[in-house]
Amino acid sequence: MNIPNKMSAADAVKLIKSGDRVLIQGGSATPQSLIKAMVARASELRGVNIVHLHTEGECGYVAPELKESFYTSAFFIGGNIRKMIGVTADYIPVFLSDIPSLFREGYMKLDVVLVNVSPPDKHGFCSLGVSVDIVISGIEMGKTIIAQINPKMPRTFGDAIVNINQFAACVEVDEELFEMQFVAPSEEEKAIGKNVADIIEDGATIQMGIGGIPNAVLTYLNNHKNLGVHTEMFSEGIVDLVEKGIVNGSQKKVNPNKIVSGFAMGTRRLYDFMDDNPEIEMLDIGYVNDTSVIRQNPKVTAINSAVEIDITGQVCADSIGTRMLSGVGGQMDFMRGAALSEGGKPIIAINSRTLKGVSKIVPTLRTGAGVVTTRAHARFVVTEYGVAEFFGKTLRERANALRDIAHPDYREELDKAIFERFGSSIMI
């Protein structure tokens, strides 16, 4: 069909005015052509507020020399802007599930939304493809929507479908999506993956992200049965499990027989798997990450990671001391949702120490570290050395359990910290 309001990227971004707030679709869907055209207009713009989840690829809008033109307020910090936090960018602490309400309830008004969508079908409907998450609420509430129409974007369903007449400007591009390459798990990550897989039950509904540990977990699920997926994001490892019939969603109570997600990141293989696949429902993150929705599925097993954990079970997942690394994201949405699910298991899975050999299980969190998952919410911690279970355990019992799964080089140090904090063992 004919593309309405078709124009060049340079002309499309002229709809952005000084002082506007601009939401950019993120992840693998980051609309690079529109971003580059917007940055090229920097000399004409002042005080444009950029908001987004993490983006991928170039992000010229955070360049220090453009600080009069653009400043960024990130809901989640990606690697491409991390060094600019405190310079030309800042972080908004917020649960992922709450971000759509910022837009819908008027706390954050959006002037312009930049998106990357599939070409329209014969009825004029495009798809947001691999990233629906917070973007669909942005389209709903934004004053001006600018879209790059991209044949490389897979056509997905659920809340992803948007009519082309909603776009004030359309720019035709042929732009590859960002690809997150598979990284083979280390030996430690393989051990963690096996330990996690061992406590995932048949019929469980799983949530996990991307990276070495999630990849390792997925490789150890080949003998499981009837798994479901309800997750804020998913990656390529899910494809193998679907093709083997291990993931089928048959036990789910909410969106049964469907893979539910807000966004996805992987290689072209994943995007081709998603294309025109009715088994996948890409949905508004306000729904996907709603604890009251998550808890309705059986045996929800939420697998998340952390920067460090203290001996009482406080989980820092977003910072190293005062230095911000990422964000709150959806960790607490799923940790709590899993805890409330019948038979659910909220899991923090970590290497026992960093690549530099520093223990991730510590007597106390670093000064300024953020607590993402509180000690009352943490239930399972998994390292390459085993599983620590917290529910109903005292502070001392938690500390001893964490010591037992810490790296052996640090157990004596942790023993000393436990004694200093809690004294000699209580005899019952």
Side-chain angles (χ1 to χ4, degrees), residues 45-367:
L45 297 169
R46 290 293 180 270
V48 173
N49 180 207
I50 307 295
V51 296
H52 55 64
L53 288 175
H54 78 283
T55 57
E56 298 292 347
E58 294 183 36
C59 54
Y61 49 86
V62 296
E65 63 270 22
L66 301 183
K67 64 181 180 180
E68 300 300 321
S69 301
F70 307 108
Y71 67 100
T72 299
S73 304
F75 298 117
F76 195 89
I77 302 166
N80 58 356
I81 70 165
R82 190 168 292 136
K83 291 182 179 179
M84 292 296 106
I85 297 296
V87 182
T88 56
D90 204 347
Y91 165 63
I92 301 172
V94 61
F95 294 131
L96 190 51
S97 59
D98 283 342
I99 297 173
S101 66
L102 289 177
F103 307 149
R104 291 184 173 126
E105 296 177 21
Y107 292 98
M108 185 174 285
K109 298 188 184 300
L110 300 175
D111 298 294
V112 179
V113 181
L114 305 182
V115 297
N116 189 2
V117 301
S118 74
D121 63 16
K122 64 182 180 180
H123 302 292
F125 287 92
C126 303
S127 174
L128 292 164
V130 299
S131 171
V132 171
D133 46 71
I134 68 170
V135 179
I136 190 63
S137 58
I139 290 173
E140 179 185 321
M141 302 306 297
K143 295 177 184 176
T144 301
I145 317 301
I146 302 173
Q148 55 178 58
I149 311 297
N150 185 5
K152 295 297 196 314
M153 181 63 74
R155 187 173 186 81
T156 61
F157 304 111
D159 294 330
I161 303 301
V162 181
N163 193 281
I164 198 167
N165 291 320
Q166 293 180 251
F167 304 145
C170 295
V171 179
E172 289 192 287
V173 303
D174 191 346
E175 183 178 292
E176 296 292 342
L177 303 186
F178 174 82
E179 294 192 25
M180 178 72 72
Q181 299 295 331
F182 176 85
V183 177
S186 66
E187 291 305 311
E188 291 80 7
E189 288 168 338
K190 289 178 183 177
I192 296 166
K194 184 177 186 307
N195 288 338
V196 171
D198 285 346
I199 59 174
I200 296 176
E201 299 178 46
D202 288 344
T205 302
I206 58 175
Q207 173 261 329
M208 64 178 65
I210 58 174
I213 292 174
N215 286 342
V217 173
L218 292 170
T219 63
Y220 284 104
L221 295 178
N222 286 313
N223 292 320
H224 282 64
K225 299 177 182 178
N226 300 322
L227 298 178
V229 174
H230 184 111
T231 183
E232 66 194 43
M233 70 156 297
F234 72 98
S235 59
E236 206 148 317
I238 294 292
V239 178
D240 292 331
L241 297 178
V242 174
E243 291 178 345
K244 293 174 182 176
I246 295 164
V247 166
N248 56 39
S250 62
Q251 306 302 302
K252 292 174 66 182
K253 303 300 182 186
V254 179
N255 306 95
N257 309 307
K258 303 287 186 180
I259 294 170
V260 169
S261 184
F263 65 102
M265 297 182 69
T267 67
R268 194 69 232 177
R269 179 192 177 213
L270 174 64
Y271 307 147
D272 289 343
F273 170 78
M274 296 174 70
D275 186 45
D276 205 32
N277 187 344
E279 186 175 0
I280 297 171
E281 290 191 330
M282 302 298 289
L283 301 176
D284 183 332
I285 211 69
Y287 172 86
V288 175
N289 281 45
D290 186 335
T291 299
S292 68
V293 173
I294 296 167
R295 69 179 298 178
Q296 293 178 54
N297 280 315
K299 303 177 184 176
V300 173
T301 306
I303 305 158
N304 289 276
S305 194
V307 175
E308 61 180 3
I309 301 172
D310 78 9
I311 55 174
T312 72
Q314 292 189 114
V315 178
C316 172
D318 62 357
S319 62
I320 297 178
T322 59
R323 181 163 67 91
M324 294 302 304
L325 287 180
S326 52
V328 172
Q331 181 170 121
M332 268 305 305
D333 295 331
F334 274 93
M335 292 294 282
R336 189 58 181 154
L340 295 172
S341 161
E342 184 177 354
K345 294 176 180 176
I347 298 169
I348 297 294
I350 57 169
N351 291 81
S352 65
R353 58 182 182 174
T354 69
L355 293 175
K356 294 182 178 180
V358 178
S359 180
K360 288 191 172 188
I361 297 173
V362 294
T364 60
L365 300 180
R366 300 183 194 209
T367 301

